[in-house]
Amino acid sequence: MKLAASLLCLVLAAGCEAARPLPEAPPGPRAVDAKLVQRGAELAAVGNCRACHTRHGGIAYAGGFAMHSPFGTIYSTNITPDRETGIGRYSEEAFRRAMHEGLRHDGEHLYPAFPYDRYTRTTDEDIAAIYAYLMSLPPVRYTPPENGLMFPFNVRAAIGVWKRMHFRPSPVRQVADRGEYLVEGLGHCGSCHSPRTKLFAEDLTRVYEGGEAEGWHAYAINEKNAAPIPWDEKAMVSYLRRGYDPQHGISRGTMGLVSHELAAAAPADIEAMAAYVVRLMKAPTPERVARARELLRDPKVSPGGSGPGASVYESACRGCHSGRGELPWDGLALSLSIGLTGESPRNLVNVILHGIPAAAGGETAPMMPGYAGALDDAQVEAVVAWMRANLTNQAPWPDIGKHIAASRKMSQDMLLFPPGGTGTEP
Amino acid sequence: MTTLEVNGRRVSVDAQADTPLLYVLRDDLGLNGAKFGCGLGQCGSCTVLVNGEAVLSCRVPVGVLEGKKVTTVEGLGTIDKPGALQRAFIEEQAAQCGFCIPGFMMRAAALLAKTPSPTDAEIREALFGNLCRCGTHMRILRAVRRAAKS
């Protein structure tokens, strides 16, 4: 059956040959338009090229970041303008084609780990700016490791089959709503915040219902968003720009990288994106609004009770998460955290076990020590279940143990993206 | 009342469950190796082992440690008979004021138990969360390398 499927793929692949190669960009220095480069830097921050195109401890944009999938491991490419190992040979036309059609400059298909299903919706004008920015970077000579993918995914023609099933180039010519345009396209929020199909395409029947990214859960950002305090535009701008909001908490894990990048985006773009995301979440029900008001008045950090979960919470968590501190440096009252009310316990488990690492390079940022050494699996499960039952109004999670086991196995690379600093400006 | 094993000895401590392990070690058990640096889990000078994992004892409540094994720097050896890691730190003179050193040693002990021959990058990564204000980091790195070889 597997073989038959693979053969079918290959037969189909025969009809999905690569495209024509495009002429190379000439060597030598390029004209630099400083304004365009600056605009490109802001847009690259929205597209968050850096997060995937930088390996743990590596030089920004030089690639080599390992992305794990059920089909094997893909390493991100070097997108600095080095001619031998980066994208220095890409003309602007070739770069635009890569973004719009998922094709390499030599015409081969690119793996959809590069989110061209979303980037395709970017205007030529914005792509030109991003191109100018990337080409202004210092070239880095670095060849990422070879992909370790299983057959038939290691055959690039097979991607042609995948693209036929899941992808239509759809460049945007006219931008009506800047927020919608950035969220749906360059920002590629859906790449993490939507579930994926078995073939790893974004499941467009369940868009923004919540997904997974490198061992972190990406919460639903549509009307299913379960934040105890419903998001408004002001809070969302704060979260996206500064990496935290006093009533929602700090952004960490993979989202920490996103907000760290977004600090460099144009404020007007962030505001537009925030407005659109809040629209996606729809107006909260009166019950949610009432509960939020109640929680802000009294976050109920000490609901009482006994048992192993309560005793871990009371002794290990409540001291910092007292509801009296000031974010981002002190802990959020946990009843305000989507980590407890969300659809998956994964992020809560990750943070309990591994903590929040100090920021790289001495930047100021909140941190939390991990409890992987001090708490055993039963204790973690007990405290997670207890917090869900006593600090939220949500049904119990059925699969806490599974997430604990998976989180314990997370490698440092997957877990501890250098989180960067947290902005303090208003 | 919490019963735990500290440096191979079973002890029962009559401390409130939310008392940090560090206070219990220093105030109740007289083990002054682990130090109070920041009290916020940010400097690493209070690092000890719990079931072989390095933890920050200033942020670990003793109540969660029922039945677990705690190892402090006193558990690595004595003044007369220093353990391999302690010898290496002495031989490399890897201390100035010495306040942070027990934490570094315990973090290194956790590393060497799992990775007996670590690379320099692995040592740096493991010790990343421990701070030395005197700046003896290069000597500390050499001491850990020496301990790994011994």
Side-chain angles (χ1 to χ4, degrees), chain B residues 46-95:
Chain B
C46 66
T47 308
V48 301
L49 305 186
V50 171
N51 290 353
E53 301 276 347
V55 305
L56 300 166
S57 63
C58 76
R59 301 308 306 171
V60 173
V62 72
V64 305
L65 298 177
E66 181 66 42
K68 291 180 185 168
K69 292 184 173 140
V70 175
T71 310
T72 69
V73 71
E74 290 90 342
L76 295 182
T78 61
I79 289 181
D80 301 330
K81 277 194 181 162
L85 203 53
Q86 291 166 319
R87 265 202 319 277
F89 271 71
I90 295 167
E91 281 156 8
E92 294 292 346
Q93 287 293 288

Side-chain angles (χ1 to χ4, degrees), chain A residues 56 311-312 314-316 318-320 358-360 367 369-376 379 412, chain B residues 17-19 40-42 50-51 53-56 59-66 68 125 128:
Chain A
H56 190 66
S311 83
V312 172
E314 284 294 330
S315 62
R318 192 172 57 85
C320 292
M367 57 80 63
Y371 286 83
L375 299 177
D376 55 39
Q379 288 173 315
Q412 294 286 302
Chain B
D18 60 353
T19 311
L40 298 167
Q42 299 190 357
V50 171
N51 290 353
E53 301 276 347
V55 305
L56 300 166
R59 301 308 306 171
V60 173
V62 72
V64 305
L65 298 177
E66 181 66 42
K68 291 180 185 168
E125 177 125 6
F128 177 76

Side-chain angles (χ1 to χ4, degrees), chain A residues 184-406:
Chain A
E184 299 288 345
L186 188 61
H188 67 292
C189 309
S191 297
C192 295
H193 287 279
S194 301
R196 296 210 165 242
T197 65
K198 287 215 168 83
L199 273 175
F200 238 61
E202 192 180 326
D203 185 347
L204 295 176
T205 64
R206 294 191 292 152
V207 72
Y208 300 131
E209 286 191 11
E212 192 268 344
E214 307 296 326
W216 293 84
H217 184 77
Y219 294 108
I221 54 168
N222 59 6
E223 70 274 14
K224 295 191 175 172
N225 180 272
I229 311 300
W231 287 94
D232 58 23
E233 275 181 51
K234 185 167 163 269
M236 188 62 76
V237 168
S238 166
Y239 187 77
L240 295 179
R241 266 184 72 70
R242 307 191 294 181
Y244 77 97
D245 173 71
Q247 296 178 351
H248 293 83
I250 62 170
S251 99
R252 278 300 177 258
T254 32
M255 189 63 200
L257 278 184
V258 175
S259 53
H260 191 246
E261 276 293 279
L262 288 179
D269 282 351
I270 298 285
E271 283 157 22
M273 289 171 78
Y276 180 70
V277 171
V278 170
R279 276 214 312 281
L280 282 177
M281 292 180 180
K282 307 244 166 76
T285 60
E287 295 80 56
R288 257 187 94 197
V289 173
R291 183 173 163 83
R293 203 171 292 142
E294 177 64 30
L295 284 174
L296 288 177
R297 198 162 45 232
D298 174 13
K300 298 184 185 66
V301 292
S302 281
S306 58
S311 83
V312 172
Y313 170 80
E314 284 294 330
S315 62
C317 315
R318 192 172 57 85
C320 292
H321 295 277
S322 65
R324 292 191 303 271
E326 224 176 290
L327 257 60
W329 315 116
D330 293 308
L332 179 72
L334 289 168
S335 57
L336 305 187
S337 173
I338 195 173
L340 274 65
T341 53
E343 57 275 18
S344 163
R346 185 54 183 270
N347 298 358
L348 178 60
V349 168
N350 284 350
V351 171
I352 291 173
L353 286 177
H354 307 289
I356 292 166
E363 287 183 81
T364 46
M367 57 80 63
M368 173 182 141
Y371 286 83
L375 299 177
D376 55 39
D377 289 359
Q379 288 173 315
V380 176
E381 181 155 358
V383 73
V384 168
W386 183 89
M387 288 197 280
R388 178 81 164 179
N390 290 277
L391 300 177
T392 80
N393 58 353
Q394 304 283 333
W397 283 306
D399 51 358
I400 300 170
K402 191 187 84 186
H403 287 289
I404 295 172

Side-chain angles (χ1 to χ4, degrees), chain A residues 52-270:
Chain A
C52 290
H53 283 283
T54 307
R55 75 182 191 284
H56 190 66
I59 301 174
Y61 299 110
F65 174 68
M67 284 167 282
H68 306 280
S69 78
F71 323 115
T73 302
I74 295 183
Y75 292 91
S76 63
T77 51
N78 178 346
I79 56 166
T80 70
D82 184 61
R83 287 186 70 82
E84 306 308 319
T85 62
I87 59 168
R89 290 172 194 263
Y90 275 65
S91 63
E92 186 178 318
E93 186 192 358
F95 182 73
R96 189 165 55 236
R97 190 177 71 165
M99 293 280 282
H100 281 159
E101 299 177 39
L103 291 165
R104 217 158 61 178
H105 72 108
D106 63 1
E108 289 283 358
H109 293 296
L110 286 161
Y111 283 103
F114 172 45
Y116 49 77
D117 57 331
R118 289 287 181 177
Y119 286 171
T120 186
R121 303 179 203 194
T122 310
T123 61
D124 290 0
E125 186 192 348
D126 283 351
I127 289 177
I130 297 169
Y131 178 78
Y133 169 63
L134 291 176
M135 291 301 155
S136 78
L137 297 171
V140 177
R141 183 144 304 196
Y142 167 73
T143 304
E146 289 284 321
N147 292 332
L149 288 166
M150 63 177 78
F151 181 79
F153 306 100
N154 53 357
V155 183
R156 280 198 183 257
I159 311 169
V161 180
W162 186 93
K163 284 165 87 172
R164 254 193 203 181
M165 293 160 66
H166 298 290
F167 174 68
R168 292 280 168 281
S170 30
V172 168
R173 305 276 169 228
Q174 282 267 299
V175 177
D177 176 327
R178 185 82 191 161
E180 175 180 5
Y181 160 76
L182 289 174
V183 168
E184 299 288 345
L186 188 61
H188 67 292
C189 309
S191 297
C192 295
H193 287 279
S194 301
R196 296 210 165 242
T197 65
K198 287 215 168 83
L199 273 175
F200 238 61
E202 192 180 326
D203 185 347
L204 295 176
T205 64
R206 294 191 292 152
V207 72
Y208 300 131
E209 286 191 11
E212 192 268 344
E214 307 296 326
W216 293 84
H217 184 77
Y219 294 108
I221 54 168
N222 59 6
E223 70 274 14
K224 295 191 175 172
N225 180 272
I229 311 300
W231 287 94
D232 58 23
E233 275 181 51
K234 185 167 163 269
M236 188 62 76
V237 168
S238 166
Y239 187 77
L240 295 179
R241 266 184 72 70
R242 307 191 294 181
Y244 77 97
D245 173 71
Q247 296 178 351
H248 293 83
I250 62 170
S251 99
R252 278 300 177 258
T254 32
M255 189 63 200
L257 278 184
V258 175
S259 53
H260 191 246
E261 276 293 279
L262 288 179
D269 282 351
I270 298 285

Side-chain angles (χ1 to χ4, degrees), chain A residues 2-17 151-162 164:
Chain A
K2 231 179 183 173
L3 183 68
S6 303
L7 284 175
L8 180 68
C9 277
L10 277 187
V11 171
L12 284 170
C16 300
E17 276 161 15
F151 181 79
F153 306 100
N154 53 357
V155 183
R156 280 198 183 257
I159 311 169
V161 180
W162 186 93
R164 254 193 203 181

